Amino acid sequence: MAVALPPAAVAENGVEVTVDETAPAMHMLIGKQRVWATPAFEDYMYMFFDLCDAMELQVGEECQIYPMNAEIGLNALATVQDGNRLILYDRRLSAEVGGDGAQMIIAHELGHHYCGHLGKHGDASLELEADRFAAAAMKKAGLSLDAAMSVLPILSERPSKSHPGREARVAAIKAGWENPETGKDCRK
Ligand SMILES: [Zn+2]
């Protein structure tokens, strides 16, 4: 598969990205933040392209997204900067959830892009759509349900304004993994 080259705006060494609560994230973002993001390490790039392939997304279109690493308080998010679609992933999350969990988180953020969730904050059901998409992608990429569930330690047990509680998210992950053909239902 052709690897997308970063646009000029995503310079080789990194780029400053402004994010706020309108960016769908693993955990709620508070206020506006400026963060320094660098092109993702190779392993995260491979995870990303495996997931794109598994979900049969179009290269250069649906897959025209740049995975980047940034220190954003053990969070991950989907955003757009100067028209470029980005996934920001805090590499320190990998110590909490392992490689499978990292892949699941990237799949979840890819789901937010695919489902068109950017800018629609404040609706917890969007998180369940992204979870379902992500679990379907993990299944189609040949990963186990346990691998998809390895994000559990970082999901909060209680629901918040922006995120459902852990129980609802576990159900969405299970549903997506068991019925991966429903992973793209968010666009219906
Ligand atoms: Zn999310």
Side-chain angles (χ1 to χ4, degrees), residues 24-26 108-109 112 127 130 163 169:
M26 283 302 293
H108 176 97
E109 301 309 331
H112 280 310
E127 294 304 319
H163 287 68
R169 301 193 68 175

Side-chain angles (χ1 to χ4, degrees), residues 19-31 33 72-78 88 90 93 96-97 105 108-109 112 127 151-158 160-164 166 169:
V19 294
D20 61 23
E21 64 275 8
T22 63
M26 283 302 293
H27 308 287
M28 195 158 74
L29 286 168
I30 311 291
Q33 300 174 27
I72 44 175
L74 290 178
N75 209 339
L77 58 88
L88 301 191
D90 189 332
L93 278 168
E96 311 277 327
V97 298
I105 292 169
H108 176 97
E109 301 309 331
H112 280 310
E127 294 304 319
V151 289
L152 293 196
I154 61 159
L155 300 182
S156 57
E157 201 167 332
R158 293 159 57 90
S160 67
K161 197 174 150 220
S162 60
H163 287 68
R166 189 185 289 155
R169 301 193 68 175

Side-chain angles (χ1 to χ4, degrees), residues 5-173:
L5 292 171
V10 180
E12 201 176 319
N13 295 324
V15 63
E16 194 176 51
V17 181
T18 303
V19 294
D20 61 23
E21 64 275 8
T22 63
M26 283 302 293
H27 308 287
M28 195 158 74
L29 286 168
I30 311 291
K32 203 172 190 173
Q33 300 174 27
R34 292 165 81 88
V35 298
W36 184 253
T38 55
F41 278 51
E42 213 168 47
D43 46 352
Y44 300 116
M45 291 298 295
Y46 286 132
M47 288 176 193
F48 172 77
F49 283 111
D50 272 357
L51 295 161
C52 272
D53 262 350
M55 291 306 273
E56 298 169 54
L57 304 190
Q58 294 153 292
V59 182
E61 293 181 30
E62 293 162 328
C63 262
Q64 192 73 24
I65 295 168
Y66 303 97
M68 304 194 79
N69 293 128
E71 292 206 356
I72 44 175
L74 290 178
N75 209 339
L77 58 88
T79 189
V80 174
Q81 174 89 8
D82 300 330
N84 299 307
R85 298 189 294 161
L86 310 178
I87 289 172
L88 301 191
Y89 177 82
D90 189 332
R91 287 200 303 131
R92 295 171 300 175
L93 278 168
S94 297
E96 311 277 327
V97 298
D100 289 340
Q103 188 152 3
M104 180 64 183
I105 292 169
I106 290 167
H108 176 97
E109 301 309 331
L110 174 59
H112 280 310
H113 278 294
Y114 176 84
C115 297
H117 291 165
L118 276 69
K120 292 188 191 170
H121 68 298
D123 181 350
S125 70
L126 304 179
E127 294 304 319
L128 300 180
E129 287 185 349
D131 283 338
R132 180 184 281 258
F133 175 98
M138 294 290 276
K139 172 78 170 280
K140 285 173 176 266
L143 288 138
S144 67
L145 182 58
D146 279 350
M149 292 286 183
S150 48
V151 289
L152 293 196
I154 61 159
L155 300 182
S156 57
E157 201 167 332
R158 293 159 57 90
S160 67
K161 197 174 150 220
S162 60
H163 287 68
R166 189 185 289 155
E167 201 179 321
R169 301 193 68 175
V170 164
I173 291 169

